[in-house]
């Protein structure tokens, strides 16, 4: 049993808690729409999400986590 | 000469009663050490009008000890439970003393569950009288006529179903509140040694659950881009506004293609549809309706609106506001009210018009209330200058009352299609043909008119401008105090008397951060623990069931004892299962609390005491964040620094080159900037401060 890498709640899968898993799912689902809309790749998408005013708190944390993972 | 005691709910109501009942309109107020009563003469009897201050008595546990389960309780003077309630002491003492010489008792508290209970408890525990010997005055306004009539026709029996329903609600709320709060608090204490009161209650659990569900949706939300196309055209010499008929477009390239296809083209008018829409007058106000409208127009919180309406009621200006009814029954003399209201200049001309109608029949709503009609003005004039807020609520209530007598409003809507280069654009128009009731309701209703020129099929349209707007889908709306209250009403949670307080309490207990019901880490910790171990406490079923049982008491289908016994049984079951899992519950809550306290990462060592850690902390009271020293809780250091309220804060683990304070990053992505925690004072940070001010101004404009 490990903790969520983002918030410290109990993790359910891949070092993420239930909340951050569902945020990650949303980020992935929305990518399809963004790709269709703007023809951008995954990394550009993540960077652009950070500028989005209305992105949810957990979704933003997941994006930051993904970018950090990618960078390290 | 016999002596009669009339028991009212509040000093202002007592004064109104005394002036209405005294034959010479000159009752005497007798003051006794911190309390008073009114002496009146009527029909050869001496009447003593006394008052309570809301509840004078509260429930207290019989057996001692701050533990659970505690299932036995008794009614005691309020000051025994609430040390601050010293003001009720002289009042109870006065009523007790006067009661000794009284021949007859009449209860004249508000006619609803809470009022009936206040009257009953005062009679029983202050007067020491058996409730079978008292009479009940029933009224919905504090006007002289209605009070005199209520006195002359007082019921010979108290309203026992209401009293019982009120009593059992207090008892069950007490049982659940006390026992569950102790269970949670003790679970934390046994797991960690900390004493942090974590409370929940019968209605509060389900409300927390609803607020959390909405918060979760907002937290995982990812906005998606889309585009809107609109255009300006000229038709028959007049400018028209056009919108792309298919609404949102989900692709930028496609958007540009469509926009280019419209640019400076010629179109022709195709299909034209016109329709007349009739909008009936609004329904009379019940409390929820008034609260929603006052929030919409004045931004008043539901609890504030209730307080203001309560004051207007006590002044005799409006009927009893704690009502669920949207009906004005035929027993109310609406003509008389209108005639009286017409003495006020601002309503005079409208009322003249209304009274000119053949029949005066106000619009009616669906909701009913067994005890009171919908909120309406009494027609009486204020005996003092109303405060600006009182005036606003009063005007809203009067205008709504007047609107009930108006004819339906009629609007004409038009939808004109313009075909252009294979695309269809739409021009929409709306105009008011007949204002009807809207004129009476005045500034509380506005119609957005969009006037469009005469157009015929085949007319040419020149597209002179095309606008493309890139937008984003929006997250679910956050609750505000008014929308949450409406939801509770819809779901049958709480009562008209308790809802506003419940909505306030979710925030005041630190479970949400602000008026927008953003859930705090503490709120999540409590929610997650309850969901895992005692989900019953979050489900609306239990409390809805109780509400149903209270209704059965009111209808005489069951009694207080049966329901209380049943409630104690299920509570005990719940507490037993809680106790079995206490270790786990305590551990989970402690983990949650630790997250709550530490959520905010450490910024570095405190520059003042050189021992504590500078932490990002959110004030549970204001929801505002700031940096404070961890030694604050030990009381040894109170160093704090302000923080910008928007944007994520990340400590950078380096020092400011200008003032050597810790550095932080504010915000993320392209808008992020670095600053030090001393940014408001730091000589090198003037720029950051200005940038923040600018952002704040922008943010505020957006909030409007
Ligand atoms: Zn997490």
């Amino acid at each position: 049993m490990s903790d969520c890498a983002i918030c410290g709640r109990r993790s359910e899968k891949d070092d993420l808690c239930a909340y951050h898993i569902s945020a990650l799912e949303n980020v992935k689902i929305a990518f399809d729409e963004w790709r269709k809309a703007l023809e951008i790749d995954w990394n550009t998408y993540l960077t652009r999400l950070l500028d989005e005013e209305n992105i949810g708190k957990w979704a933003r944390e997941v994006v930051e986590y993904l970018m950090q993972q990618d960078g390290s | 000469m016999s002596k009669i005691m009339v028991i009212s709910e509040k000093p202002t109501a007592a004064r109104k009663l005394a002036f209405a009942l005294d034959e010479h309109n000159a009752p005497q107020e007798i003051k006794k050490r911190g309390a008073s009563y009114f002496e009146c003469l009527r029909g050869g009897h001496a009447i003593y009008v006394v008052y309570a201050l809301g509840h004078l008595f509260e429930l207290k546990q019989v057996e001692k000890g701050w533990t659970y389960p505690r299932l036995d309780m008794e009614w005691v003077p309020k000051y025994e439970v609430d040390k601050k309630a010293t003001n009720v002491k002289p009042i109870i003492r006065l009523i007790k003393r006067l009661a000794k010489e009284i021949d007859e008792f009449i209860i004249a508290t508000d006619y609803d569950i809470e009022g009936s209970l206040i009257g009953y408890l005062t009679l029983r525990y202050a007067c020491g009288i058996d409730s079978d010997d008292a009479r009940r005055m029933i009224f919905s306004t504090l006007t002289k006529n209605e009070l005199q009539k209520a006195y002359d026709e007082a019921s010979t029996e108290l309203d026992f179903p209401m009293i019982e329903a009120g009593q059992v609600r207090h008892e069950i709320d007490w049982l659940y509140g006390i026992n569950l709060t102790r269970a949670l608090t003790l679970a934390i204490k046994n797991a960690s040694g900390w004493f942090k009161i974590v409370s929940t209650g019968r209605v509060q659990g389900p409300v927390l659950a609803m607020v959390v569900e909405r918060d979760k949706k907002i937290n995982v939300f990812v906005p998606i881009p889309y585009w809107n196309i609109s255009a300006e055209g000229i038709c028959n010499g007049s400018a028209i506004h056009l919108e792309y008929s298919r609404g949102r477009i989900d692709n930028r390239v496609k958007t540009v293609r469509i926009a280019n296809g419209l640019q400076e083209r010629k179109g022709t008018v195709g299909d034209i549809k016109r329709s007349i829409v009739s909008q009936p007058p609004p329904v009379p106000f019940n409390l929820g309706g008034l609260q929603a409208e006052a929030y919409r127009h004045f931004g008043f919180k539901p609890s504030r609106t209730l307080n203001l309406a309560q004051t207007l009621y006590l002044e005799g200006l409006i009927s009893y506001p704690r009502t669920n009814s949207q009906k004005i029954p035929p027993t109310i003399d609406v003509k008389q009210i209108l005639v009286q209201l017409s003495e006020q200049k601002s309503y005079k001309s409208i009322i003249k018009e209304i009274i000119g109608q053949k029949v005066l029949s106000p619009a009616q709503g669906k909701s009913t209330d067994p005890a009171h009609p919908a909120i309406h003005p009494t027609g009486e004039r204020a005996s003092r200058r109303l405060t600006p807020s009182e005036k606003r609520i009063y005007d809203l209530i009067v205008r709504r009352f007047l609107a009930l007598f108006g004819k339906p409003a009629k609007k004409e809507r038009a939808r004109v299609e313009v075909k252009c280069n294979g695309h269809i654009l739409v021009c929409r128009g709306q105009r008011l043909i007949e204002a009807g009731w809207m004129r009476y309701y005045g500034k509380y209703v506005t119609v957005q008119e969009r006037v469009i020129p005469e157009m015929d099929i085949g007319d040419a349209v020149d597209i002179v401008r095309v606008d493309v707007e890139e937008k984003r889908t929006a997250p679910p709306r956050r609750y505000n105090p008014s929308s949450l209250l409406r939801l509770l009403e819809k779901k049958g949670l709480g009562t008209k008397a308790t809802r506003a307080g419940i909505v306030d309490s979710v925030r005041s207990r630190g479970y949400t951060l602000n008026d927008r019901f953003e859930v705090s880490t503490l709120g999540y910790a409590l929610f997650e623990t309850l969901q895992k171990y005692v989900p019953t406490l979050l489900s609306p079923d239990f409390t809805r069931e109780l509400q149903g049982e209270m209704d059965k008491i009111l209808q005489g289908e069951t009694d207080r004892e049966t329901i209380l016994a049943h409630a104690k049984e299920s509570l005990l079951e719940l507490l037993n299962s809680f106790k079995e899992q206490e270790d786990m519950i305590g551990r989970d809550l402690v983990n949650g609390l630790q997250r709550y306290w530490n959520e905010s990462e450490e910024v570095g060592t405190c520059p003042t005491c050189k021992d504590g850690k500078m932490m990002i902390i959110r004030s549970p009271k204001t929801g505002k964040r700031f940096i404070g020293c961890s030694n604050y809780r030990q009381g040894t250091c109170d160093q704090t620094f302000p923080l910008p309220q928007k944007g994520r804060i990340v400590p950078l683990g380096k020092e400011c080159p200008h003032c050597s304070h810790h550095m932080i990053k504010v915000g993320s992505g392209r808008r992020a900037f670095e600053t030090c925690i001393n940014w408001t004072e730091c000589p090198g940070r003037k720029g950051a401060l200005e940038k923040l001010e600018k952002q704040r101004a922008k943010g505020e404009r957006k909030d409007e």
Side-chain angles (χ1 to χ4, degrees):
Chain A
M1 206 167 57
S2 63
D3 291 341
C4 172
I6 298 171
C7 69
R9 284 185 177 89
R10 178 144 20 118
S11 81
E12 302 277 329
K13 198 175 85 187
D14 300 337
D15 285 339
L16 292 180
C17 69
Y19 298 152
H20 284 108
I21 289 173
S22 100
L24 176 62
E25 277 164 10
N26 268 7
V27 169
K28 284 179 179 164
I29 292 169
F31 177 53
D32 283 345
E33 308 281 335
W34 277 76
R35 193 167 46 184
K36 224 187 292 166
L38 293 162
E39 288 152 27
I40 53 173
D41 63 22
W42 175 249
N43 285 331
T44 318
Y45 165 62
L46 292 184
T47 319
R48 299 227 15 200
L49 279 189
L50 291 181
D51 282 334
E52 286 299 320
E53 209 176 331
N54 283 328
I55 186 171
K57 191 168 76 180
W58 297 335
R60 177 184 294 277
E61 286 165 353
V62 160
V63 172
E64 282 168 341
Y65 171 71
L66 290 171
M67 291 175 77
Q68 205 182 353
Q69 289 253 306
D70 208 38
S72 64
Chain B
M1 187 163 78
S2 67
K3 291 176 176 172
I4 300 170
M5 180 185 278
V6 172
I7 299 169
S8 73
E9 195 159 326
K10 291 191 178 73
T12 19
R15 180 178 297 275
K16 283 268 169 194
L17 271 158
F19 275 90
L21 297 182
D22 187 70
E23 282 169 350
H24 306 292
N25 197 29
Q28 259 199 303
E29 182 172 8
I30 318 277
K31 292 191 175 156
K32 298 264 175 194
R33 275 185 265 148
S36 73
Y37 66 98
F38 296 87
E39 252 184 54
C40 328
L41 269 176
R42 185 174 188 82
H45 304 297
I47 301 175
Y48 300 99
V49 182
V50 298
Y51 52 82
L53 287 174
H55 277 284
L56 298 176
F57 297 88
E58 293 280 349
L59 287 165
K60 188 184 170 189
Q61 70 183 44
V62 175
E63 212 181 332
K64 285 208 164 56
W66 209 89
T67 180
Y68 72 96
R70 281 290 178 265
L71 300 183
D72 294 316
M73 63 216 136
E74 59 185 345
W75 291 100
V76 296
K78 197 173 174 186
Y79 52 82
E80 283 190 27
V81 191
D82 177 2
K83 296 271 175 297
K84 280 179 280 177
T86 47
N87 54 345
V88 307
K89 205 169 195 170
I91 291 171
I92 296 178
R93 198 193 299 138
L94 173 76
I95 296 176
K96 219 171 225 166
R97 194 178 57 77
L98 280 176
K100 288 184 190 138
E101 322 160 10
I102 299 295
D103 303 302
E104 197 188 345
F105 293 87
I106 301 179
I107 306 278
T109 47
D110 294 340
Y111 187 60
D112 62 10
I113 288 179
E114 224 47 54
S116 295
L117 181 61
I118 290 170
Y120 168 81
L121 294 172
T122 307
L123 189 72
R124 183 146 172 219
Y125 297 106
C127 305
I129 290 297
D130 188 355
S131 46
D132 287 339
D133 293 340
R135 294 200 293 152
R136 181 69 161 112
M137 276 172 69
I138 296 168
F139 48 86
S140 287
T141 65
L142 289 176
T143 55
K144 204 168 203 167
N145 286 343
E146 189 165 346
L147 289 176
Q148 287 173 352
K149 192 162 167 259
Y151 176 85
D152 294 336
E153 296 169 6
S155 153
T156 52
E157 206 181 47
L158 291 191
D159 35 13
F160 288 106
M162 277 211 215
I163 295 168
E164 290 221 317
Q167 211 173 339
V168 84
R169 184 171 75 206
H170 273 263
E171 286 164 332
I172 292 177
D173 283 350
W174 184 88
L175 281 170
Y176 275 73
I178 289 278
N179 283 290
L180 294 172
T181 298
R182 288 179 184 178
L184 290 169
T185 307
L186 290 173
I188 293 173
K189 184 159 180 282
N190 295 340
S192 66
W194 307 334
F195 191 78
K196 154 88 185 157
I197 292 203
V198 174
S199 69
T200 186
R202 179 174 68 81
V203 189
Q204 213 195 333
V207 174
L208 177 66
M210 292 192 312
V211 172
V212 166
E213 285 313 323
R214 177 64 58 93
D215 197 64
K216 277 191 196 166
K217 283 192 189 130
I218 295 168
N219 284 342
V220 300
F221 179 79
V222 180
I224 288 165
Y226 66 88
W227 288 263
N228 280 340
I229 296 178
S230 60
E232 300 301 320
I234 307 272
C235 183
N236 301 329
S238 304
I240 53 172
H241 179 77
L242 296 155
E243 267 156 24
Y244 181 60
S245 66
R246 292 205 180 150
R248 296 178 175 189
I249 309 162
D250 58 6
N251 173 282
R252 184 173 50 193
V253 175
K254 195 170 151 194
T255 309
V256 173
R257 207 172 50 225
I258 298 170
N260 286 344
L262 294 169
Q263 206 80 47
E264 289 172 25
R265 295 281 179 143
K266 278 200 191 309
T268 44
V269 172
D271 197 23
I272 300 178
K273 282 200 183 89
R274 285 181 197 278
S275 57
I276 305 259
V277 189
S278 167
Q279 195 179 339
V283 298
F285 274 142
N286 60 7
L287 179 59
L290 173 66
Q291 284 169 321
E293 199 77 335
Y295 183 81
R296 195 156 79 90
H297 293 293
F298 318 132
F300 289 176
K301 267 202 257 179
S303 49
R304 180 167 179 212
T305 299
L306 174 57
N307 286 339
L308 290 164
Q310 184 76 20
T311 311
L312 295 173
Y313 161 72
L314 289 169
E315 286 287 326
L317 302 178
I318 63 164
S319 63
Y320 192 57
R322 289 176 202 251
T323 176
N324 195 35
S325 168
Q326 296 175 322
K327 293 188 188 299
I328 304 283
T331 45
I332 292 173
D333 190 347
V334 291
K335 180 148 193 195
Q336 175 64 29
I337 294 173
L338 287 167
V339 168
Q340 276 178 277
L341 282 176
S342 70
E343 285 167 24
Q344 298 182 44
K345 241 204 281 166
S346 42
Y347 310 125
K348 195 172 176 178
S349 62
I350 287 175
I351 292 177
K352 203 171 155 196
E353 200 178 301
I354 295 174
I355 293 182
Q357 298 173 5
K358 272 188 208 123
V359 256
L360 283 175
S361 80
Q364 306 282 358
K366 283 196 184 117
S367 299
T368 56
D369 188 293
H372 298 280
I375 302 172
H376 61 274
T378 60
E380 292 210 347
R381 292 203 77 152
S383 58
R384 62 170 171 88
R385 255 184 109 85
L386 298 182
T387 66
S389 302
E390 288 165 359
K391 232 186 233 160
R392 283 167 134 183
I393 296 290
Y394 179 73
D395 185 61
L396 178 60
I397 291 170
V398 173
R399 290 277 176 181
R400 173 61 74 108
F401 181 70
L402 300 180
L404 304 178
F405 298 93
K407 291 201 182 78
K410 283 194 179 129
K411 293 178 206 161
E412 186 193 53
R413 288 198 184 137
R415 184 182 186 278
V416 179
E417 282 188 1
V418 173
K419 289 181 192 154
C420 180
N421 196 19
H423 302 295
I424 295 175
L425 298 166
V426 175
C427 171
R428 288 191 173 84
Q430 169 165 284
R431 67 191 179 98
L432 196 59
I433 313 173
E434 253 182 73
W437 61 269
M438 289 185 177
R439 262 193 327 113
Y440 303 164
Y441 205 25
K443 63 183 171 198
Y444 305 112
V445 61
T446 43
V447 177
Q448 293 238 317
E449 292 212 319
R450 285 187 306 268
V451 182
I452 59 171
E454 279 300 321
M455 287 184 268
D456 281 314
I457 296 177
D459 283 356
V461 178
D462 287 324
I463 307 292
V464 291
R465 206 179 80 206
V466 179
D467 292 310
V468 170
E469 207 181 355
E470 180 173 338
K471 302 192 93 166
R472 296 286 184 269
T473 53
R477 271 172 187 272
R478 289 202 172 274
Y479 291 118
N480 59 45
S482 166
S483 64
L484 187 57
L485 189 101
R486 285 323 277 270
L487 186 68
L488 296 195
E489 197 177 331
K490 210 173 106 198
K491 298 225 165 188
L493 294 174
T495 69
K496 60 196 180 230
T498 58
R499 274 177 210 126
I502 295 164
V503 166
D504 283 352
S505 78
V506 180
R507 178 175 164 197
S508 65
R509 288 177 178 169
Y511 303 149
T512 63
L513 296 171
N514 41 40
D515 267 353
R516 301 175 65 232
F517 295 95
E518 220 173 296
V519 180
S520 69
T521 317
L522 179 62
Y524 270 106
L526 179 59
F527 170 79
E528 285 157 22
T529 312
L530 294 181
Q531 193 184 38
K532 195 157 151 200
Y533 301 102
V534 268
T536 334
L537 288 181
L538 296 172
S539 148
D541 296 342
F542 164 71
T543 185
R544 212 180 282 146
E545 200 179 299
L546 176 73
Q547 226 81 47
E549 283 177 326
M550 280 175 54
D551 286 343
K552 280 191 195 153
I553 297 186
L554 292 176
Q555 280 142 27
E557 288 167 23
T558 182
D559 56 42
R560 173 183 150 256
E561 278 84 11
T562 315
I563 289 171
L564 191 59
H566 177 65
K568 282 186 181 179
E569 214 174 282
S570 16
L571 176 63
L572 207 53
E573 215 173 283
L574 202 68
L575 292 173
N576 284 337
S577 111
F578 192 101
K579 202 144 224 171
E580 276 167 27
Q581 314 176 80
E582 199 191 68
D583 288 353
M584 275 132 33
I585 295 176
R587 197 197 53 215
D588 279 14
L589 280 172
V590 166
N591 282 342
L593 274 172
Q594 265 166 342
R595 272 204 305 277
Y596 179 52
W597 284 329
N598 293 337
E599 118 157 295
S600 23
E601 299 91 317
E602 258 176 56
V603 178
T605 313
C606 172
T608 309
C609 69
K610 309 264 190 278
D611 166 51
K613 298 267 178 278
M614 296 314 288
M615 316 280 291
I616 301 167
I617 300 167
R618 249 185 211 278
S619 155
K621 256 196 201 140
T622 61
K624 295 245 164 82
R625 62 184 183 186
F626 60 95
I627 290 183
C629 178
S630 59
N631 276 342
Y632 179 76
R633 243 182 272 149
Q634 278 81 42
T636 51
C637 180
D638 60 1
Q639 177 67 56
T640 60
F641 293 99
L643 274 180
Q645 295 303 315
K646 281 189 181 159
R648 191 188 164 100
I649 306 272
V650 181
L652 292 173
K654 56 181 183 184
E655 283 180 0
C656 172
H658 310 287
C659 69
S660 338
H661 276 88
H662 304 295
M663 295 286 291
I664 50 173
K665 189 171 96 174
V666 182
S668 48
R670 276 180 285 180
R671 282 189 210 139
F673 62 96
E674 293 185 0
T675 184
C676 64
I677 58 174
N678 186 36
W679 55 288
T680 51
E681 305 294 325
C682 178
R685 302 280 159 208
K686 291 259 151 60
L689 199 60
E690 276 162 21
K691 184 169 176 188
L692 180 80
E693 296 283 280
K694 247 185 241 158
Q695 276 186 354
R696 194 177 284 160
K698 204 171 134 202
E700 271 163 15
R701 238 178 289 134
K702 221 169 276 161
D703 289 344
E704 275 167 13

